[in-house]
Amino acid sequence: MPRFSIVVPSHGVAGRLSQALDSVLAQSFGDFELIPVCDAPDAPAADVVAGYAERDSRVTPVHSPPSAGLAGARNTGLKAAVGGHVLFLDGDDTLVPGALAALDARLSAVGDVDVLYFEHERTPWWEGEPTNPAAPLLARTPKGAFSPGRAPQLTGVALPAWSAVYRRAFLTERNLAFPGDHFTDVGFGGLVALRAERVAALRAVVVRHLLRRQGNRLGLPGEHHAELLDQTELVLTRAAEQDLPADRLKPLFEQLFAAVLKTAAHPRRLTSERRAFFRRASALYRRHRPAGYRAPGGSVGVQHRLLASGSYAAFRTLRAAHRTASRAAALLPRPRGLRTRLRYAAALRLPLDRNLVVYCAYWGRGYTCNPAAIHAKARLLAPQLRSVFLVEPEAVGSVPPGVEHAVIGSRKYWQVLARAKYLVNNANFADAVVKRPGSVHLQTQHGTPLKTMGADQATYPVVAAATGSFAKLLARVDRWDYNLTSNRHSTEMWERAFPSAHETLEYGYPRNDVYCTASADDVARVRKALGVPDGKKALLYAPTHRDYATGFETGLDLAEFCEAIGDDYVVLLRAHYFYDQGSSRGGGRIIDVTGHRSSEDVCLAADALITDYSSIMFDYANLDRPIVAYADDWDVYRETRGVYFDLMELPPGRVARTPEELAAVFRDGSYADQTATSLRAAFRERFCQFDDGRAAERVVRRVLLGEPPESIPPVIPLAERVPAPAATLVRS
């Protein structure tokens, strides 16, 4: 009995078949049989094989009709094999010199294993560097023989059949054969891995696979792609029958659906029935998703969630955007006006100014938010840097004295954007802005996400329509080098919403530093500036924007509310910044603070917060003051806008659904009772992780001064922080 049986299907590769056969017959280790599988005795490949069979008795050809496909050819060769171990080699593959000797030595060292996985090399036939996709999977395997549970990443479905050698008795005793026709490697590899008891790995290249210029036949358009779902279902069904442990089921599930998602997203593979493919894949995903499974992060995680929800239209839109994002980012910008374009292009050819920092907040609304806080700290820690704040013409008056600014669209605006090494924004710079090599873009964000953001908006038609091109969105995201977060929830959600290669900085939001550094005198000063009467309790009412509404509507009659809760209170009304009209909507006990540039000042002045779903609740929670959620349309908002968690299950305090309930919690004091305090404590534990008063310092040191991560000041634990005092309430 020979040591190896080498099965080589030959359909469609007659022109290259001799290279494969020569690579086997030239091996220094000669104890093998070579089994070419030809279509028929008169097929072109049969003529090639006949000459080899006449010259070498180890060549024993067999026949399998083309209708049987690759799976049939391999199964035919397997039935004819008599060797101790079987190796499958495609007709356009070659064995590297010394391959069989290396396999024999490894098998002798590890003993009687069912499968020996090895590395392979994919070689472009025209140009490009070879790749070794099996190496990462095998790099973490144990040194000797091991059970599959010790290397759960070896699911079998991510490696071709010719990247392993199999003990023939193992295959025959367990009736393992190649299933179906197309994508048969997926099914075979998965079934083999499920049934194997002892496996091993050889961390060396054994097979060289020649990549065809026209690509793999499986990548061509056609109805055969539906068979990928057949193989996926087969493997996952067997895994369920076998009650596969969770640590092995998760990588199997992910690797199978990585292939499914790749096919679903490819614009040319599915010429028809794309929606049917997606729907069936979605059903399989939901049926076989492991218990407690969490989708991966980034763009892959977005695809997983869309597949799980069956959102085909959103999936198609998102993938189209992703494919064009990199191309869009590389295009030469086209600011409006020929003269402006020429000036900007000329400035881009000048060297970067390594001491120039450009800031912008809320698309130029003024000197505010995280960029303003970073700017202020940079003036102290990095005075050598020149800073320019970008503002719209109407916001020039909001820029503090001594702060250099540039009006958006002006000549200076384009000059500093072209030359600056550092660009800091809490939204995004214009599409025309070029990400120059060597420049550093910092995205600070401007809130913790409750509602869906970025690419996650694709599943909500109302929001997606308002968002515009996801291709342009992703192109803007690709400019980021750093993305700032204030809690681990934000870290995870931003990774999903803005998939890109940027680095996440879990440093906290610089604008929230003041909540840990402000004094009682600061609070009194702000209240006086806002017109809060002495001795009154100030309730900040800050509703968010509704994508399904046409304008600002509070959803609450504030005059009636003030009448219902008594004279001890005044209400600070802060509408979403979309509705900052520059005119007051207040009167009496209602003070309109929408136009006040600093939301931090407004929060410091308030003794309690009333909001619906605004991200201001996450910032205000740093003050450890009462918060009431007025959720009169939660169900509509959740279905229309989409949310990342159920606020009703994890509220920051008391929840009111009607104006009467809202007034009642203030009349009876329950808005600040022990239950409300306990809810707020849990909320703070989850969402106030990094806001400790030193966020701006961490950002300046890491991003603008280039200090190493290990030298950045650590986050102060939540229990050790002392929030700014409230004016009229005593904190528990």
Side-chain angles (χ1 to χ4, degrees), residues 78-376:
L78 177 59
K79 291 178 181 178
V82 296
H85 292 80
V86 182
L87 174 67
F88 298 97
L89 195 68
D90 280 358
D92 45 7
D93 294 342
T94 59
L95 290 180
V96 301
L100 295 183
L103 290 175
D104 175 70
R106 184 59 174 161
L107 288 170
S108 298
V110 298
D112 198 22
V113 296
D114 297 326
V115 186
L116 174 64
Y117 294 102
F118 51 75
E119 296 176 8
H120 63 271
E121 195 175 75
R122 293 179 179 268
T123 306
W125 78 273
W126 65 105
E127 63 179 359
E129 295 296 323
T131 61
N132 186 346
L137 288 173
L138 301 183
R140 294 173 284 133
T141 56
K143 293 183 178 180
F146 53 92
S147 64
R150 294 182 61 194
Q153 77 276 11
L154 287 181
T155 66
V157 302
L159 294 174
W162 36 262
S163 196
V165 62
Y166 311 87
R167 186 166 61 88
R168 185 173 63 84
F170 159 72
L171 297 179
T172 56
E173 290 168 2
R174 288 164 177 76
N175 296 316
L176 291 170
F178 288 86
D181 187 1
H182 298 91
F183 302 99
T184 185
D185 282 14
V186 173
F188 180 77
L191 296 177
V192 165
L194 288 174
R195 300 300 302 275
E197 297 177 358
R198 294 182 78 250
V199 298
L202 171 61
R203 298 170 191 165
V205 172
V206 171
V207 173
R208 286 200 178 101
H209 176 68
L210 183 65
L211 296 175
R212 303 180 182 183
R213 182 174 182 269
Q214 68 274 26
N216 191 308
R217 284 175 291 188
L218 294 179
L220 298 177
E223 298 179 355
H224 63 277
H225 289 284
E227 295 184 39
L228 174 59
L229 300 181
D230 295 339
Q231 303 289 357
T232 299
E233 184 174 15
L234 170 64
V235 174
L236 288 176
T237 299
R238 294 288 177 84
E241 295 171 350
Q242 192 171 313
D243 196 19
L244 196 68
D247 60 337
R248 292 186 61 192
L249 182 57
K250 178 185 175 183
L252 176 64
F253 179 86
E254 286 188 342
Q255 291 178 23
L256 284 169
F257 277 97
V260 171
L261 285 167
K262 183 177 180 180
T263 296
H266 202 286
R268 294 180 296 276
R269 290 184 180 178
L270 298 170
T271 55
S272 62
E273 301 299 322
R274 294 175 182 171
R275 189 181 299 271
F277 181 95
F278 187 90
R279 286 177 175 173
R280 184 185 171 197
S282 178
L284 285 173
Y285 187 100
R286 292 191 296 270
R287 185 187 315 151
H288 293 284
R289 178 170 45 190
Y293 176 74
R294 295 183 62 184
S299 59
V300 175
V302 175
Q303 296 175 49
H304 273 255
R305 293 193 302 279
L306 295 181
L307 187 63
S309 65
S311 303
Y312 173 72
F315 179 87
R316 182 179 57 187
T317 301
L318 184 62
R319 290 302 299 157
H322 184 74
R323 286 192 300 270
T324 58
S326 57
R327 294 196 299 268
L331 294 176
L332 181 68
R334 298 187 63 83
R336 292 182 179 180
L338 176 60
R339 184 177 300 176
T340 301
R341 291 200 298 270
L342 293 175
R343 286 173 178 164
Y344 184 49
L348 288 171
R349 290 195 291 270
L350 297 174
L352 282 175
D353 185 339
R354 301 192 175 278
N355 288 318
L356 177 57
V357 190
V358 171
Y359 298 89
C360 190
Y362 296 117
W363 304 276
R365 289 184 66 245
Y367 185 84
T368 185
C369 195
N370 290 318
I374 296 171
H375 172 273

Side-chain angles (χ1 to χ4, degrees), residues 46-98:
D47 293 338
V48 176
V49 169
Y52 284 90
E54 291 176 359
R55 295 190 299 271
D56 196 315
S57 60
R58 295 173 298 180
V59 179
T60 56
V62 296
H63 300 95
S64 177
S67 59
L70 178 62
R74 287 175 173 169
N75 289 333
T76 297
L78 177 59
K79 291 178 181 178
V82 296
H85 292 80
V86 182
L87 174 67
F88 298 97
L89 195 68
D90 280 358
D92 45 7
D93 294 342
T94 59
L95 290 180
V96 301

Side-chain angles (χ1 to χ4, degrees), residues 400-671:
V403 175
E404 185 179 356
H405 69 275
V407 176
I408 291 178
S410 67
R411 178 186 297 186
K412 181 178 180 181
Y413 166 83
W414 289 109
Q415 286 176 340
V416 296
L417 282 175
R419 299 291 308 282
K421 176 177 175 62
Y422 304 100
L423 295 95
V424 181
N425 206 326
N426 75 347
N428 263 308
F429 290 99
D431 292 341
V433 173
V434 170
K435 174 66 166 70
R436 295 186 62 178
S439 65
V440 177
H441 285 236
L442 169 65
Q443 169 58 247
T444 73
Q445 303 295 345
H446 52 272
T448 291
L450 167 62
K451 60 189 177 185
T452 54
M453 301 292 290
D456 288 338
Q457 298 173 357
T459 58
Y460 297 91
V462 173
V463 186
T467 300
S469 169
F470 283 98
K472 291 182 178 179
L473 169 66
L474 293 176
R476 295 190 291 268
V477 171
D478 284 340
R479 295 186 302 213
W480 302 354
D481 293 289
Y482 298 105
N483 185 35
L484 202 57
T485 76
S486 58
N487 46 64
R488 190 57 50 80
H489 163 78
S490 295
T491 299
E492 296 175 1
M493 297 309 104
W494 292 146
E495 185 177 346
R496 288 171 42 179
F498 302 115
S500 188
H502 53 262
E503 180 181 349
T504 296
L505 300 179
E506 292 183 323
Y507 287 174
Y509 283 159
R511 71 180 185 190
N512 292 343
D513 285 353
V514 69
Y515 298 142
C516 292
T517 61
S519 65
D521 290 340
D522 294 323
V523 173
R525 173 184 50 79
V526 172
R527 286 170 67 90
K528 183 177 180 179
L530 294 177
V532 178
D534 291 339
K536 295 291 186 180
K537 297 176 182 178
L539 306 180
L540 173 58
Y541 177 51
T544 193
H545 166 65
R546 280 11 179 223
D547 296 277
Y548 48 87
T550 56
F552 174 68
E553 298 178 4
T554 66
L556 179 68
D557 189 320
L558 292 179
E560 289 186 3
F561 173 69
C562 288
E563 185 68 24
I565 62 177
D567 294 336
D568 290 340
Y569 299 93
V570 295
V571 173
L572 305 177
L573 168 62
R574 187 169 181 83
H576 191 277
Y577 58 81
F578 284 177
Y579 308 111
D580 180 8
Q581 301 169 348
S583 59
S584 175
R585 282 167 286 221
R589 290 162 56 197
I590 304 170
I591 304 173
D592 190 345
V593 295
T594 302
H596 192 81
R597 290 299 176 185
S598 172
S599 63
E600 295 77 54
D601 280 357
V602 174
C603 288
L604 285 173
D607 299 293
L609 170 67
I610 304 170
T611 187
D612 40 25
Y613 327 117
S614 171
S615 65
I616 199 172
M617 73 177 79
F618 303 99
D619 303 315
Y620 191 83
N622 286 287
L623 289 167
D624 198 15
R625 303 177 190 175
I627 303 174
V628 177
Y630 179 54
D632 59 330
D633 61 345
W634 168 249
D635 294 332
V636 175
Y637 185 87
R638 178 177 56 185
E639 293 300 320
T640 306
R641 185 59 171 87
V643 295
Y644 287 122
F645 68 93
D646 189 344
L647 184 65
M648 301 302 100
E649 295 293 328
L650 188 66
R654 292 286 186 176
V655 176
R657 292 280 196 161
T658 66
E660 293 76 20
E661 291 179 1
L662 182 62
V665 300
F666 286 95
R667 281 199 308 268
D668 62 20
S670 59
Y671 76 101

